[in-house]
Amino acid sequence: MTMRTTDIIIKTGAFAAIVASGLFALTESSFAQTASAELIEKGRMVATGSDCMACHTVPHTGQPFAGGYGIISPLGTIYSTNITPSKTAGIGNYSEADFSRAVRQGIRKDGGHLYPAMPYNAYAEMTDADINALYTYFMNGVKPVDAEPKDYTALPFPFNLRFSMAFWNILYANKTPFKPDPAKSDDLNRGAYIAGALGHCASCHTPRGPLMGADSGANLAGGFVGPWYAPNITSDPVSGIGGWSEDELVQYFRTGHADGKNQAAGGMAEAVQNSLQFLPDSDLLALARYLKTVRAVRDPADKRPAHEFGTTESDEANIRGMFASNEHDSLRNGGAELYSGYCASCHQPNGAGSENQAYPSLFHNTATGASRPANLVAAILYGVERKTGEHDVLMPSFGEKSYVMPLNDQQVADISNYVLTKFGNPEAKVTPADVAVARKGGPVPLLAKAQPFILPAMIIAALVVLILAGVLFFVTRRERVPRQA
């Protein structure tokens, strides 16, 4: 099944001709129900391709599209809203025009602005036909939930001033509905639409500037999403996916794993689990072909593709018997022992992973071969979880909330550096400070760093303006007073 536009007009015309000729006694209502069912199904596929479920449903416990999922951003946690057709808690009172305005412009029915954690700046490229199908699906194919999320967005000043998003939108949200490029094939146009509009790939895979807007000059060149690093997915053969085959990309989209290349974790695991795995092969192939044409961007720090690093090696023979089997706290002398105690049972002492690669190899792995080892650290701290088809992949976290064994910053750094040296990029290094940053949610952008000083700066600026205005008033008044003879 695809998400291509259904020609309702042609079907309606054909039906009218049939009725006029008296060949069939179908009722108008039965046809409308059939057409509606087709449109609802198309809308469901548009919602799947747009990954609406990932943000608007609390994993494991939430009702579909009822909101309440916390999206952790550098400016604070943004909680998704209820987008079921409930008239009291959701979007049941939205007209299609209201819905389109919210999805493509980030403006609610009441005129309030949405934050771009809702990627309306990408959804602006959605076609009118897909917006119509999506609206039909949410209004007719989704169960209403008459309960508002228990958590709501409350960002600190001045980010809580939603009207300020109007100025941000002028700079960064100015796209229009997608129009196919007649010079490109149907596959490339379809892939561009999936990547740019529905899949909103740039929301994660493009670096952001000082005002948190995407850097258009480095489209899909990679960027931090919290503690995770969304890698370069341009066509560059060293920094990007230029060395991946189309089949490998399709395998990755479908399963979250590509042998000898990478495995999905963090937000990408959610995208695979909730969206990509359900798309038709034609769409996944179109996306792969399009990404292979994206303008290449090379990171000067990258000397060879991340997936080429590493080989099998084991230190198990050197550390066995160093301590008595019942000795307390024996895993204390660096990365080799920590790796043996916490990692080797799944990833194997030689880093080869399990036979079916549910526990992946640690060599020929972009998480360990990248010049930025952020994803290796994040995987240790936050774990990996994704479900595709009948396969569940689970790596437990070793962060503060670990049900296995919480590791401190030094231990995570020691394990990371051991893995990098033995199986990955030996030039990449991890410090305890790096782990502490990842534990707190990732690098803090300049705008978030400036937040505590914005209000004092505004007060000082206002006082300066008042003082200058007062001085100007008295100077002007003095010049107007006539001098005495």
Short mmCIF file of all heavy atoms in Angstrom, two decimals, residues 25 33 84 132 162 240:
data_model
loop_
_atom_site.label_atom_id
_atom_site.label_comp_id
_atom_site.label_asym_id
_atom_site.label_seq_id
_atom_site.Cartn_x
_atom_site.Cartn_y
_atom_site.Cartn_z
N ALA A 25 -27.73 -0.38 -8.91
CA ALA A 25 -28.60 0.35 -7.97
C ALA A 25 -27.87 0.65 -6.67
O ALA A 25 -28.41 0.49 -5.60
CB ALA A 25 -29.85 -0.47 -7.68
N GLN A 33 -19.53 5.81 1.94
CA GLN A 33 -18.88 5.05 3.00
C GLN A 33 -17.63 4.35 2.47
O GLN A 33 -16.60 4.31 3.13
CB GLN A 33 -19.87 4.03 3.56
CG GLN A 33 -21.00 4.66 4.38
CD GLN A 33 -22.07 3.66 4.75
OE1 GLN A 33 -21.99 2.49 4.40
NE2 GLN A 33 -23.08 4.13 5.45
N THR A 84 -6.67 13.39 19.54
CA THR A 84 -7.80 12.54 19.19
C THR A 84 -8.99 13.44 18.86
O THR A 84 -8.98 14.64 19.16
CB THR A 84 -8.18 11.61 20.35
OG1 THR A 84 -8.81 12.37 21.39
CG2 THR A 84 -6.95 10.89 20.91
N ASN A 132 -5.87 16.50 3.69
CA ASN A 132 -7.27 16.10 3.70
C ASN A 132 -7.43 14.67 4.22
O ASN A 132 -8.31 14.38 5.04
CB ASN A 132 -7.85 16.22 2.29
CG ASN A 132 -9.25 15.63 2.18
OD1 ASN A 132 -9.45 14.60 1.54
ND2 ASN A 132 -10.24 16.28 2.79
N ARG A 162 4.73 32.33 23.82
CA ARG A 162 4.52 31.62 22.56
C ARG A 162 4.43 32.55 21.35
O ARG A 162 4.77 32.15 20.23
CB ARG A 162 3.24 30.77 22.65
CG ARG A 162 3.38 29.54 23.55
CD ARG A 162 2.09 28.74 23.58
NE ARG A 162 2.19 27.55 24.41
CZ ARG A 162 2.46 26.32 23.94
NH1 ARG A 162 2.69 26.15 22.65
NH2 ARG A 162 2.53 25.30 24.76
N GLY A 240 28.91 10.49 5.54
CA GLY A 240 27.49 10.19 5.37
C GLY A 240 27.21 8.75 5.02
O GLY A 240 27.92 7.83 5.44
#
